[in-house]
Amino acid sequence: MASMGSGPDHLFNLRNNFYLGAFQAAINNSEIPNLSQEDIVERDCLVHRSYIALGSYQLVINEIDEASATPLQAVKLLAMYLSSPEFKESSISSLKEWLADPTVGNNATIRLIAGTIFMHEEDYNEALKHTHSGGTMDLHALNVQIFIKMHRSDYAEKQLRVMQQVDEDHTLTQLASAWWNLAVGGSKIQEAYLIFQDFSEKYPMTSLILNGKAVCCMHMGNFEEAETLLLEALNKDAKDPETLANLVVCSLHVGKSSSRYLSQLKLSHPDHVLVKRAASAEDNFERALQSFA
Amino acid sequence: MLTKFETKSNRVKGLTFHPKRPWILASLHSGVIQLWDYRMGTLIDRFDEHEGPVRGVHFHNSQPLFVSGGDDYKIKVWNYKTHRCLFTLLGHLDYIRTVQFHHENPWIVSASDDQTIRIWNWQSRTCISVLTGHNHYVMCASFHPKEDLVVSASLDQTVRVWDIGSLRKKTVSPADDLMRFTQMNSDLFGGVDAIVKYVLEGHDRGVNWASFHPTLPLIVSGADDRQVKLWRMNETKAWEVDTLRGHMNNVSSVMFHAKQDIIVSNSEDKSIRVWDATKRTGIQTFRREHDRFWILAVHPEINLLAAGHDNGMIVFKLERERPAFALSGDSLFYAKDRFLRYYEYSTQKDSQVIPIRRPGTPSLNQSPRTLSYSPTENAVLICSDLDGGSYELYIIPKDSVGRSDVVQDAKRGTGGSAVFIARNRFAVLEKSTSQVLVKNLKNEVVKKSSLPIPTDAIFYAGTGNLLCRSEDKVVIFDLQQRLVLGELQTPFVRYVVWSNDMESVALLSKHTIIIASKKLVLQCTLHETIRVKSGAWDDNGVFIYTTLNHIKYCLPNGDSGIIRTLDVPIYITKVSGNTIFCLDRDGKNRAITINATEYVFKLALLRKKYDHVMSMIRNSQLCGQAMIAYLQQKGFPEVALHFVEDERIRFNLALESGNISVAVASATQINDKDLWYRLGVEALRQGNSGIVEFAYQQTKNFERLSFLYLITGNLDKLSKLMKIAEVKNNVMGQFHNALYLGDVKERVKILENAGHLPLAYITASVHGLNDIAERLATELGDNVPSLPEGKTPSLLMPPSPVMCGGDWPLLRVMRGIFEGGLESAGRGGAVDEEEDVEGDWGEELDMVDVDGMENRDIEALLNEEENDEEGGWGVLDDLELPPELDTPKASANARTSVFVTPTQGMPVSQIWSQKSSLAAEQAAAGSFDTAMRLLHRQLGIKNFAPLKSMFLDLYSGSHSYLRALSSSPVVPLAIERGWSESSSPNVRGPPALVFDFSQLEEKLKSGYKATTSGKFTEALRLFLSILHTIPLVVVESRREVDEVKELVTLVKEYVLGLKMELKRRETKDDPVRQQELAAYFTHCNLQAPHLRLALLSAMGVCYKAKNLATAYNFAKRLLETNPVESQAKMARQVVQAAERNMTDETKLNYDFRNPFVICGSTYVPIYRGQKDISCPYCTARFVPGQEGNICTVCDLAVIGADASGLLCSPSQVR
């Protein structure tokens, strides 16, 4: 299926920056002239989602008021949800309300946010209920991610095929292919690496791209190169949780001490998967020890 | 046809190429002969002495001569250098059709309407042979390029081949000729010098042209019957081979191509036709609207042809000669003949990759035009003009150097041009709609995009971007954003060359080079008078390019210059340092070394790298007026100064750069008044009064000197000057100086001497020199001037200057920066790299010194031993596990409208846990309980506390973390071990483990080192950590399993030994126990150097405790181990001492004659035959009483527990 290009795509750079993790660049370059009304809403969504990604939840909550468009309300909801555990329940209940409302329930952004939130809740069933039908590249990409988390790479592949048919060169399609390639492993790792390599040649380096490359290197057994890449990423963003987490893993493999990165991660992101895993492993160890006592 | 040059003139009847220079002679129907430079496109000269049309003209192949023949029956030989007709050969009785020099003899052959062919000697200026036989006009005659043959064509419908062998045999001295001339005249119609060899009949009308094949025995002829005929001959006969039909009117001229297997003919039907000489079919036809063609000429050396017609002539080539190529890192892919070839720059290796065209396909101008290569996919895209523009996509097979001749079935398509725009995407231009199709490697259209301007070619411009060319501009277009990134007005761009960093681009037009940034911001434009051919960027951002006859450079600021001249055009592919790699017109790779000094130097200046500039000045001989002028013009006179020998120029440059000292030196050398003057001016400007004074002195410029002394307050010199002035009789100067000095008496004296008595009187009286005034008044008598009344006079004294003598504060001159550069360069050169001193070594030595041991050699020995071992530990092999389905099949109703969430798949860690029976893999999978159970069963381990951190590390290290969509949960990914390029996806390998055997080896080395240097606590920690890691190490092969097991026992010995040694140090108050422990230590299985150290220490302890017999034993054992001299000496002393008194003061629990093992817990010997019990893991031995306790050596296993043995490799499980 060939998609015929029409006018210039004004939001291309903004979207790309957002997908590739250049959030500050996305925010900084969001003043784009000659946008249609629709584009403006999308632009605002992307900008606010960038703020969320940077952890500025309160800013998003304050800036979006009652009068804002529905997609923005959804973005605000995500900010609420992520801002503090105490808002989680209320966010979910209002989300469910919206989803039940036929006038807004079908809005792509709301569905995307719903998918994201339910994924955080590890309720994949509920997440997929709203996202499985797709409709936008974001939704398809989210589906790929959900299926990968569910260890159902076969389903992820199907979603990926849909994306490839819509636009094979779309940044999200490429990213999703990389995720899927990494998930299935084996020779596909190389393809994932090439995708991240392409990104690094085409766009300014972000810690997301560097992490992507590093993860590929780790999976190919090349921990030294992974370490170099991660240190570069650390230079870019010293607090990036994935960089720190992957550095912990990498350091272990190259026989270096990982404790500094680990404590850094524990301090800045106490609920990161790696931290959680480490904590649960400790309990697990004690429990296993008990059975021997 | 590629037209290179065109002229407008009267009808062109004769043409000849100069064999070396880019010149062509055209003889016109008007009688004029024009000399053109077809490269520059200029008329160089015209020769106008013939009356009436000139039909034949020919250059000599080595001398500056050409010959012409015209309708005035005259053959003229010209020297084109002197622009003179040297002489005229007369003899023909009618129009002369063609003239030609012989390639080696001083002969000219001419064909005439008088039905004869004549051969002339142009040295003797005589006719040496007349070839008769044709019975109509002879239209053409020419020598064979090698043999003694002449071919001629005549309107009598025949082509004749003449044998002139006998002519050559005869001497060709002028005297001979003269003699023979008379003789020849006598047998004018039966000459024996040249005989007709063959008469070729076949044309139905008059034949206009016939010519030989350059190498083969072939002749081609063209006639008024509109046919071209091909003839073949052998020693005895000649025959017609074939006829080429196609021309619609009289064929004027026909010849074989010098290099290709083709025939070219032209005709009065206004066309030029190209024929395949082997298949005898027409390949191409070029037509002109109104001009009948009359003559054709081929260049003897290069691929050029020329054709003359009614209104001028054209110089053209049939085919492009530029090989299509694509550069990728160290390699070059290029098309040559039918093959894609590969050239590696570093090794200069050239090899054939794949055939790209089937043999025997028509080839003219259909060879690849451009080539685009995708290194990751190893794919090549070849564009040609075939079918009005088409491309072929080849995937180079992995084992690429295919000798095979089988042409791969390429993926094809039509399109103006096609280039890779990403690893696996290429863009194809659809000219008609000005669209590009983006295709994948399967040749499927992925995307279509309309281009912002009407585009006739596309070029690569970075991933995802295209550089689109139209007639008068180029734009860079981002295909994804559909945005124009940059735009630039340019002449018609032919080639696009990106710099290595993709930051700059060079756009090559026919006569222009434009350098622009990656967003097409113009940086500079260069104009060339000669065609620009190719270019490449060097690593420093200098663009190196070629024109038809030069290699040139262009600096980032637009400065350009010639690097060297070229005999033949080349196509640069890459520049690396001062080597230029290029392809020549034969498609051969060449490496040309150039002298890059000039542009490197200029670049260094431009980038203000003065240290580099200075080192270049010191080391190389770049010089010449051009360089000096350049430096001066660019504002670097101080740099230019370094190159100049000529003093006058040096002086000028020195002044310009303010370098006074050099200027003084030069001025002294030259000693020219004008220079001194200019030096003085400059020195004054800078405030260097010493030099100013010197300069003034040199020029004897006393007035300036006086003033200088005045303002510098140098009164001594001022008075000296006054005396000089007096000597020189310079009254005015004297007076000035006196005035400056405030010396009134002197002034009066001067005035008096000069005869100005009234003035002298006034001066004297005003300044109160009354006696003198009176004297003067008397001399003046009545003429005493009256002084004004009521004014108080004062003596004018010059003020004393702020600074007396010496220089003033000097003006800062610009050489500052440069001198700085000079200094730093000097420093840089002076610093030598120092070898790193081995830090460990000294430290270890100190440590040992504390123990009183000398261990220099031990360390060395130990290192050797360790090095020997190094090769032994191989890299872990791939783990092959049977493929298993880890994901259930997709449910059947996935496609139905009702969406059913699939069940969750199995996490990889669960798969690991199910598949593995190795403790480490279980730990990595997070199944700690299973891991512990395994370790308990296999090794009897019960104390898991020391293993905790390793369990956790294994688990932590088993997953990487992938950030997918922002704000969504991160995706942990299981890292597998033993990845290879060919691993199949979706088949789970075992987990990657954070511990491996090589790490343990490293630790062992450090442990040994620590032991050697006496850091026992550290050593113990290391060895213990090895013991604790081994249960969680996985190796691949059986051999490695054995190595692991060996390592356990090896390390166990050290742990035991070191623990005893540490214990010994704690028990200082118990000398007996101390000796015992030292003694037991020597029975641990240690490396030889360590054993020696242990023996030395035990010997020392026992000796001090006066247990001489035991010490003697240790000394003896030590001597057996080949110790270093210092140790041996000590041992011998102990032996000597002990031999005198072989007793022991105290009784030790140590019987070295009786073999024993040591209890790992109580450190007592267990002699052979006594009962003992061992640790199931580390194999340490214990006295039976220890059974059931945790092993004190490894701190892991239960002593005496049942265990199945270490399982550390999947190979053990299989």
Side-chain angles (χ1 to χ4, degrees), chain B residues 873-945:
Chain B
W873 317 118
V875 182
L876 304 184
D877 291 332
D878 287 352
L879 188 64
E880 279 179 44
L881 286 174
E884 259 181 55
L885 276 180
D886 63 341
T887 47
K889 283 273 172 249
S891 52
N893 60 352
R895 279 169 179 270
T896 57
S897 58
V898 181
F899 179 79
V900 177
T901 310
T903 51
Q904 287 217 24
M906 192 189 281
V908 179
S909 53
Q910 205 176 327
I911 298 170
W912 287 340
S913 173
Q914 283 180 1
K915 284 208 288 200
S916 179
S917 53
L918 301 175
E921 295 183 353
Q922 289 293 350
S927 315
F928 292 165
D929 45 352
T930 317
M932 287 180 186
R933 263 201 305 282
L934 284 171
L935 287 178
H936 183 70
R937 202 165 61 221
Q938 292 163 7
L939 302 173
I941 293 178
K942 197 162 184 215
N943 180 24
F944 288 99

Side-chain angles (χ1 to χ4, degrees), chain A residues 12 120 125 150 169 183 186-187 253, chain B residues 480-481 901 905 957 967 983 988:
Chain A
F12 180 87
H120 275 287
N125 195 15
M150 291 174 74
D169 290 332
S187 56
H253 280 274
Chain B
Q480 275 191 305
Q481 298 191 55
T901 310
S967 308
S983 315
R988 293 300 162 189

Side-chain angles (χ1 to χ4, degrees), chain B residues 411-462:
Chain B
K411 301 206 166 59
R412 288 158 210 280
T414 55
S417 42
V419 283
F420 277 106
I421 51 164
R423 168 172 62 88
N424 51 8
R425 293 281 182 281
F426 61 93
V428 181
L429 174 67
E430 243 183 37
K431 261 192 215 173
S432 52
T433 55
S434 211
Q435 273 189 16
V436 285
L437 310 179
V438 177
K439 296 192 173 188
N440 62 16
L441 292 183
K442 293 179 196 139
N443 207 14
E444 299 162 347
V445 177
V446 176
K447 194 198 268 179
K448 271 189 193 173
S449 186
S450 14
L451 294 175
I453 57 166
T455 302
D456 58 14
I458 50 174
F459 301 89
Y460 178 71

Side-chain angles (χ1 to χ4, degrees), chain B residues 48-70:
Chain B
D48 189 4
E49 282 183 32
H50 279 290
E51 285 168 46
V54 187
R55 297 176 192 272
V57 66
H58 192 236
F59 266 119
H60 194 274
N61 63 0
S62 55
Q63 311 244 25
L65 301 176
F66 69 88
V67 58
S68 62

Side-chain angles (χ1 to χ4, degrees), chain B residues 758-759 761-767 770 773 784-791 793:
Chain B
L759 277 177
Y761 167 77
I762 292 169
T763 309
S765 58
V766 163
H767 292 292
N770 293 331
V784 177
S786 60
L787 298 174
E789 299 288 323
K791 294 202 174 161

